[in-house]
Structures are given as C-alpha cells and as structure tokens.
Amino acid sequence: MGVDLRQVVAGILTITMFIMLGQMLHRDYYDSLQEKAQGDAHDIEFEGSRVSVKDSLVGAVEGSKGPWMDDDNEAVSSKGYVTFSLTNGPEYHISQITDAVMVAKHLGATLVLPDIRGSKPGDERSFEDIYYADKLIKSLKNVVKVVKQLPEEVSLRNIAIVKVPTRVTEDYIKEHIKPIFKSKGNIRVATYFPSVNLRKSSQDGETDPVACLAMFGSLELQPEVNAVVESMIEKLRTHSRKSGGRFIAVDLRIDILERKNCHSTGVAGSKTCYNAQEIALFLRKLGFSGDTTIYLTQPRWDSSLNILKDIFPKTFTKEAIMPASKRSKYLESENSEYENVIDFYISSRSDVFVPAISGLFYANTVGKRIALGKPQVLVPAEISETSGLATDFISPYISKKNHLAYSCFC
C-alpha cells in the first residue's frame, strides 16, 4: 500500500500544533498538575489548611489543621437535614452541590443526596443513575454527614425552601439561613445564579476550603457512565493516531445558537457565541490541519455543521462514537441528562477545549480542566489576518489566572 505524503504532512502539522499549544503555557504549572492528575497522591494548601488529593478524592493530611477532622472520625451533625436537587445539567450540578455542602457544613446539618431533574416535567433520576454516591459520601465524611435518603419520619411539608445565591458564604449562611433552620429544623436549598461568571476578584475574600472540597473533590461519575465516557474518548484518540491521539472538544449546540443573540463582547473581533463556519475558520487560521479530530457537544448531526466537516472531516457528534450497545440508553432523547454529562466530561478531558458559546458550561469546564491540569482552552474570535497565534486566544480564566479554581489549586 502506497503512502500518501499529504496525509503524512497533515499529521506532522497537527502534532506540531498541539505541541506548540502545550509549550506556550507555563511548563512548571502544566507539568506539575498533569502529573498530579494521573492518580498520584499530592498535597494542596487551602488558605492554610493542607489536604491530600488522590484519585480525585480530597481528604485531610495527617497533622493538618482546618475544617477536616482525623480520618477515623466522621463529621458531627445535628438532627436537622438539608435537601436539594441537581438541575439544568452538570455545569450547574457543580455549583449546586458546592452550595448545599457549604450550607450543611456551616449549619451542622446532615446532607441528603439529591435527585437529578432534567429540563422537561417529570424528567427525574436518582443521584446514583449518574454519579458515584459512595465516593461522594467518602470524600465528604470528615466535613459533613451525608445520607442517601431522608428518614421517613421527616415530613416534606415541614421543610422550608430557602433560595441561596451561588458561591454562598459562611457569613451569608449565618445571617440569612441559620435562623430559618433553627425555626424549621429542616430546609431545602435552591441555588440561584446572579451571575454565571466564575472569575475571582479582590472582593471575594478567601475561598472557603469546604467549597473547594465540594467543587473539586466530591462529584465523580458512577462506573457505568464513566466507562461510556472513557470508551468515547478512546474512540476519538483512535481517530487521532496521526495527531498523537490528541483531539479538540468544541461546545457548539445549534439550539442554543438559534436562541442566543451572539452580540459583541466589546473586545475587538469577539462575540458571545460562534457558528460552525466561524469555528472552522478560527481553527484553520490557528494552524490546525484538516486531519484534526473534533468532538462537538451538539446532540445530533445537523446540516449546518457540514461546513465544519468539509474543513475537518474527522468531526463527530456523540452518536458516531458511542458504543452501539449503549445508544438506546444514553441517547434516548436530545435533552437527556446523560448526554449533558457526557459532553461535560469529554470537554473536560480533551487536549484542547473551544467554547463556541459563553456561559456556565464554559466556566465550569475551565474549572474542571484547571483541576485536571489541562489549561489548553482557546476562546474563539474573528481573525482578520490569514493566520493567528494560539497564544493570543487563551481563555482569560487561564492567561490571567482569575478563575475561582485558582483559589483552590495553587
């Protein structure tokens, strides 16, 4: 069989592009976190409290001070309970569970595992359908007691519903929530989002180590769902053999683009969202070759994506790379919670992430990538010249290190 020199050159160019992108970031930061993401135990200092991270679980370091007790002791809780639900997809789940853990911890209450509710009426799942309950309970055992179900003797009618702003603080809990908890004994937390921005600022003060633990050390996919994600990532890497197994994940969903007003952000050449043609031109001008493998979060293939596939033939949506035996369960509807979770975790694990849409998915994916040591996030923009440098389009969350995650990982 003859060798197509054009394919060889394309493969070399793509590998070179990925290597340059990795080298353009601070090597000490990237290499150290990348090593830590492989499962080796390491320590992190959370504002003076040292904790250990191993296999995505966070626990106390022997002799450390702070909110964590000895590994042999479990958190002490009152007779009251904090309940809540996970809604609107995994990008919201991270914030919702963080706020619920914060509330339960600072009230001395017992946390009840949430259910998971989709966007459609009646679309409800148990926590264990998607996430690994035992790992969550284990990771939080020295901070807050967690139970899988609310005891039967607790009446739902006696639970007060409390709205909580995301990134809730201990001071807010003491002032606004504790009086209600003392009066009612049990509460249901409903997180609302005044902003989807996860930038840290000088006004934020110190990040509560409990929030760091909940945000980055509690949620993990249950084994079956995780196996599906792993098989899809392996399929993408198989398609990327000429690129060293590297691939790009692009958060591009047609339904959101149709509803969203893609207006200018005020920065030259920058908008709040981009269509398939604009993403294709952006990647090509940055130097990615036509042999580059791309994963799209779009639920099913749409004709408007053809322009992207014309330039990058190895562009896939999930139905093309998911094992056939799993499609009936995990692709049952275009708005399935399973699909949203799969998109989030593949986007977090890709070699490069490109958010075609601004919002909380972008913000929390960047946070997850920072925790995993994968800072290669390129924010699209219109490139007026024939080519551009990837260094000019690194996410400000990364280049300015102003993401909330940097308060937890130093």
Side-chain angles (χ1 to χ4, degrees):
M1 182 182 293
V3 177
D4 191 330
L5 291 179
R6 290 175 298 179
Q7 292 184 350
V8 173
V9 172
I12 293 173
L13 288 174
T14 301
I15 292 175
T16 302
M17 185 63 217
F18 279 111
I19 292 174
M20 290 176 61
L21 185 56
Q23 290 178 338
M24 73 189 176
L25 297 163
H26 194 289
R27 295 307 304 175
D28 291 340
Y29 165 77
Y30 176 70
D31 288 342
S32 62
L33 279 186
Q34 185 73 357
E35 290 172 5
K36 294 170 184 177
Q38 303 305 315
D40 295 335
H42 61 286
D43 299 342
I44 299 173
E45 184 167 343
F46 288 11
E47 306 298 345
S49 301
R50 293 189 63 76
V51 296
S52 172
V53 179
K54 181 175 177 61
D55 297 330
S56 301
L57 296 179
V58 184
V61 174
E62 185 177 355
S64 68
K65 298 180 180 179
W68 289 271
M69 292 175 285
D70 294 336
D71 289 341
D72 292 336
N73 298 322
E74 294 187 359
V76 178
S77 61
S78 71
K79 294 182 180 180
Y81 292 88
V82 171
T83 68
F84 68 110
S85 292
L86 299 180
T87 62
N88 300 320
E91 66 271 32
Y92 286 86
H93 296 174
I94 291 175
S95 299
Q96 289 162 345
I97 200 158
T98 300
D99 294 329
V101 170
M102 281 284 290
V103 170
K105 165 62 180 177
H106 293 297
L107 291 179
T110 297
L111 186 68
V112 182
L113 278 185
D115 59 354
I116 300 174
R117 301 185 181 186
S119 57
K120 295 180 179 179
D123 184 6
E124 297 183 15
R125 300 183 186 278
S126 74
F127 181 85
E128 293 177 278
D129 283 343
I130 293 178
Y131 295 112
Y132 202 165
D134 291 339
K135 285 291 181 69
L136 179 139
I137 294 171
K138 179 180 178 182
S139 68
L140 297 175
K141 73 173 184 176
N142 296 328
V143 175
V144 63
K145 181 178 179 181
V146 183
V147 296
K148 293 187 177 183
Q149 292 181 331
L150 193 67
E152 293 181 0
E153 62 268 20
V154 178
S155 173
L156 295 177
R157 286 180 289 185
N158 295 330
I159 297 180
I161 298 176
V162 180
K163 291 186 177 180
V164 176
T166 189
R167 297 168 68 172
V168 66
T169 64
E170 181 178 0
D171 289 341
Y172 184 96
I173 294 168
K174 288 180 178 178
E175 182 178 354
H176 298 283
I177 304 176
K178 195 168 186 176
I180 301 174
F181 181 71
K182 281 187 173 182
S183 173
K184 293 292 186 178
N186 305 289
I187 61 173
R188 179 173 179 81
V189 171
T191 297
Y192 67 92
F193 293 79
S195 170
V196 295
N197 193 324
L198 292 185
R199 286 197 299 267
K200 62 178 181 177
S201 67
S202 57
Q203 288 77 33
D204 288 337
E206 294 183 352
T207 300
D208 193 309
V210 173
C212 290
L213 172 64
M215 186 174 294
F216 299 110
S218 63
L219 280 183
E220 183 177 318
L221 296 178
Q222 58 102 322
E224 182 182 339
V225 179
N226 187 64
V228 172
V229 170
E230 291 291 343
S231 68
M232 294 173 70
I233 290 175
E234 182 59 31
K235 190 72 174 287
L236 290 165
R237 298 204 184 284
T238 299
H239 284 292
S240 309
R241 285 175 179 169
K242 294 180 181 178
S243 305
R246 301 175 178 92
F247 71 94
I248 299 173
V250 179
D251 179 31
L252 191 159
R253 289 162 282 171
I254 303 302
D255 61 329
I256 294 181
L257 290 177
E258 291 176 346
R259 298 195 308 264
K260 198 175 180 74
N261 179 19
C262 299
H263 55 80
S264 172
T265 63
V267 179
S270 178
K271 301 191 300 180
T272 56
C273 52
Y274 293 84
N275 61 33
Q277 180 176 356
E278 292 168 326
I279 292 297
L281 293 176
F282 172 71
L283 293 175
R284 186 170 67 178
K285 287 187 175 183
L286 288 186
F288 288 100
S289 76
D291 198 54
T292 301
T293 299
I294 297 175
Y295 173 80
L296 299 179
T297 57
Q298 165 67 16
R300 303 292 182 276
W301 193 263
D302 185 89
S303 59
S304 64
L305 302 174
N306 290 343
I307 181 63
L308 182 56
K309 201 172 186 68
D310 288 343
I311 297 176
F312 297 100
K314 294 181 180 179
T315 298
F316 304 97
T317 51
K318 58 185 64 64
E319 77 272 16
I321 58 172
M322 181 178 288
S325 61
K326 301 296 182 180
R327 291 172 192 167
S328 60
K329 178 176 181 177
Y330 294 101
L331 301 181
E332 59 192 25
S333 69
E334 292 191 358
N335 294 313
S336 167
E337 283 298 305
Y338 283 128
E339 296 191 43
N340 296 335
V341 167
I342 288 168
D343 288 334
F344 181 78
Y345 281 86
I346 290 181
S347 296
S348 300
R349 296 271 305 280
S350 62
D351 296 276
V352 176
F353 174 59
V354 178
I357 305 163
S358 62
L360 197 59
F361 187 97
Y362 159 48
N364 265 328
T365 298
V366 172
K368 183 75 171 176
R369 292 181 67 90
I370 290 170
L372 292 173
K374 289 182 169 290
Q376 300 93 331
V377 180
L378 301 178
V379 176
E382 295 177 3
I383 303 176
S384 57
E385 305 296 329
T386 56
S387 63
L389 295 175
T391 49
D392 294 334
F393 301 96
I394 291 293
S395 167
Y397 279 135
I398 302 294
S399 61
K400 298 179 180 179
K401 292 193 174 182
N402 64 8
H403 194 283
L404 182 64
Y406 285 110
S407 300
C408 300
F409 295 91
C410 52

